[in-house]
Amino acid sequence: MTIQFTQPQETAAKALIKLSLEEDLNQIGDLTCQALINESDQAEIQIVARQAGILAGAPIASLVFSELDSPVHCSHHLSDGDTLQPGSIIATYSGPLNSILIGERTILNFMTHLSGIASLTAKYVEAIQGTNATILDTRKTLPGWRVLEKYAVTAGGGTNHRMGLYDGVLIKDNHLAAWASRYSEPSIAAAIRHARESAPDGKNIEVEVDRLDQLADALQATPEIVLLDNMPPELLRQAIQIRNQQSPSTLLEASGGITLESIRSIADTGVERISIGAITHSAVSLDLGFDWKRRT
């Protein structure tokens, strides 16, 4: 599955690239290149995969060289979402050697991180093949990196949950605790109805529960989604039965402590959604490298 950078991803990447290069250069520059590399030196490099995975972040190099105002020519051989094997050549860059060396670490930092997220996401997606479940991400992302990390999730075949607090209602336990403190006989269903009256039209209402009696309460208000927090498979099956009886249109989302070892048993219960914070906050960078030869 090949995907493309859109304007939001490019805007987010440019802002982070600017910060990354400022960290490296600090208005002084690359002292090593200044000492050893002639401005006229040219080079050709290839970005090569050192291990199997899924590519994400291929457009980053062009944006880095653009920020450096360098005439490096970029030729892409693979696109985001493509499968990588050890030795896969991702792209070839040719131009001033000093620009290539200055941009190397920034490019690899972005691409290895994003490809790691895409690769881990793909493993979860593969693990639930043949079930009704969809893999979703969460807001457990690095500050400033959310747009790009969620992009990498889609490169791995996953689906984005809400981008932030602004584009969906998710009533969690602390919201319910605050709501309950205002009423002598609090009801989750009442909180859902109140949220629906207050939220903009067309926004989904999702509520988090961790007990079956809370689920039954919530379903009285027909929320679009109920998040079932840290429920084992046997409870998830019971939750599906309750949902089918009370509010068949409500989607059920499993979340909390889900691993590659446990996800299949969770997906087999019949839940429609599985959200996993680990695909962004715990993904290990995919090993990519610069292979280059100097040209004069």
Side-chain angles (χ1 to χ4, degrees):
M1 178 188 67
T2 299
I3 65 170
Q4 299 291 330
F5 253 31
T6 61
Q7 191 60 53
Q9 284 96 42
E10 183 171 323
T11 299
K14 285 180 177 179
L16 290 171
I17 287 168
K18 184 176 178 64
L19 288 172
S20 298
L21 291 173
E22 286 175 352
E23 287 178 335
D24 261 344
L25 302 175
N26 195 28
Q27 298 183 331
I28 296 172
D30 183 341
L31 296 181
T32 310
C33 280
Q34 291 172 15
L36 300 178
I37 306 300
N38 294 323
E39 289 187 7
S40 60
D41 287 350
Q42 300 287 300
E44 181 176 273
I45 71 98
Q46 292 177 325
I47 297 184
V48 179
R50 306 286 190 235
Q51 64 183 121
I54 303 295
L55 176 62
I60 292 296
S62 297
L63 297 176
V64 170
F65 293 129
S66 177
E67 180 65 27
L68 290 171
D69 195 24
S70 173
V72 174
H73 176 72
C74 303
S75 297
H76 297 279
H77 310 304
L78 295 172
S79 300
D80 288 348
D82 286 349
T83 299
L84 301 174
Q85 298 298 335
S88 293
I89 298 173
I90 296 166
T92 301
Y93 306 108
S94 57
L97 175 56
N98 58 357
S99 294
I100 290 173
L101 293 176
I102 289 169
E104 176 180 1
R105 178 44 51 197
T106 293
I107 292 166
L108 289 177
N109 282 347
F110 277 78
M111 291 183 64
T112 59
H113 177 58
L114 296 176
S115 296
I117 291 172
S119 301
L120 182 57
T121 301
K123 291 180 181 179
Y124 278 97
V125 171
E126 182 180 7
I128 64 165
Q129 287 297 312
T131 71
N132 294 325
T134 296
I135 300 297
L136 298 107
D137 52 27
T138 71
R139 290 191 300 116
K140 295 177 181 178
T141 55
L142 290 172
W145 277 80
R146 182 168 299 166
V147 169
L148 293 182
E149 290 185 345
K150 283 179 172 281
Y151 169 82
V153 168
T154 64
T159 299
N160 295 152
H161 208 298
R162 59 180 184 157
M163 186 62 67
L165 300 175
Y166 60 88
D167 60 347
V169 175
L170 175 48
I171 306 169
K172 304 194 77 174
D173 54 354
N174 285 333
H175 299 108
L176 290 173
W179 171 264
S181 69
R182 296 167 55 188
Y183 298 92
S184 58
E185 295 182 6
S187 162
I188 297 175
I192 294 169
R193 293 187 186 103
H194 187 82
R196 182 169 285 121
E197 292 173 357
S198 303
D201 291 342
K203 298 298 183 183
N204 285 337
I205 306 297
E206 181 172 4
V207 62
E208 176 188 58
V209 303
D210 54 20
R211 302 195 313 267
L212 295 179
D213 62 309
Q214 292 177 321
L215 171 64
D217 181 354
L219 291 174
Q220 295 178 56
T222 319
E224 282 74 24
I225 308 164
V226 176
L227 188 154
L228 307 171
D229 186 40
N230 282 294
M231 287 192 182
E234 57 270 21
L235 283 185
L236 292 175
R237 292 189 182 91
Q238 294 180 49
I240 289 171
Q241 293 177 353
I242 294 170
R243 184 276 308 275
N244 291 345
Q245 293 170 357
Q246 286 191 232
S247 180
S249 65
T250 297
L251 301 176
L252 295 183
E253 177 180 328
S255 188
I258 296 168
T259 65
L260 279 170
E261 291 71 31
S262 66
I263 193 168
R264 183 70 195 200
S265 63
I266 291 169
D268 281 339
T269 65
V271 292
E272 292 83 13
R273 299 157 58 96
I274 304 175
S275 54
I276 306 167
I279 58 178
T280 51
H281 71 61
S282 294
V284 176
S285 294
L286 193 73
D287 191 6
L288 309 174
F290 267 39
D291 288 348
W292 67 277
K293 60 181 180 180
R294 179 173 174 172
R295 299 190 305 169
T296 56

